[in-house]
Amino acid sequence: MERAPVSWVIDPDDPRAPPQEIWDRMTPEERQRVVDALPSELEISEASPPEGDFHFNAKLAARDTLGGYFQSIGKRVYLACELPVYYPAGRMVAPDLIAVRDVEVKERACWSVSAEGKGAELALEILWNERSQEELENLAVRYASLGIPEYFVFDRRRRQLRGFRLAQGSARYEPIARKGGLLASAVLDLDLGLEGDRLCFYHALARLPEPREVLARLGAMVNDLMALREEAEQRLDEERQRADEAERRLAEALAELECLRRERG
């Protein structure tokens, strides 16, 4: 007897992934249809208006700084900004930055926890516009209830950074204690701190360079190498001129010697 297809209708006004028990009954093809149907773009909510360059640049710098570092050490950590994350039967969440370890690093339209086999392991929110304390507390409660192990809040305007980690065996966050002014992330195996209004990441107290800094260093290196090449080419031209002059003098000396031999002969 053939099994009846398992269907799941996605509400465009409140898109949700199916509960885990329904997901478990689906075939791979049915699951893929659900993942493909989960929206990756949603209308901007009045509760989360765009925050301009101060928000966007900080978010992008964090993602690209971490991405460059993990790529350089060969560590698989997926990073995404404002990617829709769908937990089973739950409302979609889209933190400013998420990190997930030991998964394939590739482009995604959304993150389905059931399909990927795990949820976000770190969530970072970057603030610029005013947000109420109640709103931030509700967000922390929600992320904790989803089991996101670490949650960081970077308030760029006020130059404040806070970090939270799930308490052992609990669905509540506890503040991460500062050590030397830094907050340790067990997920990233890095420390987080501030330099002015910049969010920075540290490994063994050494700050990870941002992409723009790497580009500036590479640009300076290229300029130095070009200057060395021009200097070497100039020296080579001078050496060639000296060699040509020596060859000319040698030819003149040989010609004069030949003349002397003929005169004596």
Side-chain angles (χ1 to χ4, degrees):
M1 181 176 179
E2 291 188 1
R3 179 184 65 84
V6 179
S7 62
W8 177 255
V9 178
I10 295 175
D11 182 352
D13 296 324
D14 184 17
R16 301 191 183 207
Q20 192 63 42
E21 60 271 18
I22 293 179
W23 176 270
D24 292 339
R25 299 205 315 269
M26 288 180 168
T27 65
E29 293 77 14
E30 291 168 341
R31 293 175 178 178
Q32 189 59 53
R33 282 196 293 270
V34 168
V35 173
D36 292 341
L38 290 170
S40 60
E41 298 181 3
L42 300 133
E43 293 184 5
I44 295 174
S45 168
E46 290 298 325
S48 301
E51 298 184 85
D53 288 340
F54 296 103
H55 174 257
F56 177 81
N57 290 341
K59 173 180 62 179
L60 198 64
R63 186 199 67 179
D64 291 349
T65 298
L66 291 172
Y69 169 71
F70 290 128
Q71 184 178 25
S72 70
I73 64 174
K75 190 172 182 179
R76 294 196 311 164
V77 179
Y78 176 69
L79 304 160
C81 292
E82 295 186 355
L83 185 80
V85 181
Y86 294 95
Y87 284 81
R91 288 174 46 232
M92 182 273 296
V93 295
D96 283 332
L97 177 75
I98 63 167
V100 190
R101 297 169 294 182
D102 302 320
V103 296
E104 185 178 1
V105 178
K106 64 177 183 179
E107 290 185 323
R108 290 171 169 85
C110 66
W111 184 278
S112 167
V113 175
S114 296
E116 300 285 352
K118 62 194 309 186
E121 295 183 307
L122 177 144
L124 167 68
E125 293 289 354
I126 298 172
L127 312 181
W128 179 256
N129 293 336
E130 294 292 335
R131 279 175 131 179
S132 69
Q133 185 63 31
E134 181 181 2
E135 181 184 355
L136 293 175
E137 290 176 355
N138 291 339
L139 199 57
V141 169
R142 187 175 180 195
Y143 287 169
S145 69
L146 294 174
I148 299 176
E150 291 184 344
Y151 170 48
F152 291 88
V153 181
F154 169 39
D155 188 333
R156 188 174 183 185
R157 185 188 294 275
R158 294 184 175 85
R159 301 187 179 187
Q160 295 176 349
L161 175 65
R162 289 169 288 170
F164 306 90
R165 186 175 292 123
L166 283 180
Q168 188 70 27
S170 171
R172 296 176 62 87
Y173 282 129
E174 292 181 344
I176 298 175
R178 297 182 185 275
K179 292 184 179 180
L182 302 178
L183 299 176
S185 167
V187 171
L188 302 177
D189 196 22
L190 296 169
D191 295 324
L192 284 72
L194 299 181
E195 290 188 7
D197 69 342
R198 293 168 57 196
L199 174 63
C200 301
F201 301 90
Y202 301 83
H203 178 259
L205 299 182
R207 182 173 65 81
L208 305 187
E210 293 184 3
R212 61 184 180 84
E213 295 173 321
V214 174
L215 289 175
R217 291 178 188 175
L218 290 175
M221 288 175 59
V222 169
N223 291 336
D224 290 343
L225 290 172
M226 291 180 64
L228 288 173
R229 185 183 69 177
E230 292 175 359
E231 183 180 343
E233 289 176 348
Q234 183 177 355
R235 286 200 301 267
L236 182 59
D237 288 340
E238 293 172 353
E239 291 294 332
R240 285 172 178 165
Q241 291 176 7
R242 284 195 289 268
D244 291 344
E245 179 65 20
E247 187 175 349
R248 184 184 65 79
R249 291 181 180 179
L250 177 60
E252 291 176 352
L254 290 173
E256 186 176 352
L257 179 60
E258 183 63 25
C259 288
L260 289 174
R261 285 177 179 171
R262 289 176 181 175
E263 289 175 358
R264 291 181 181 180

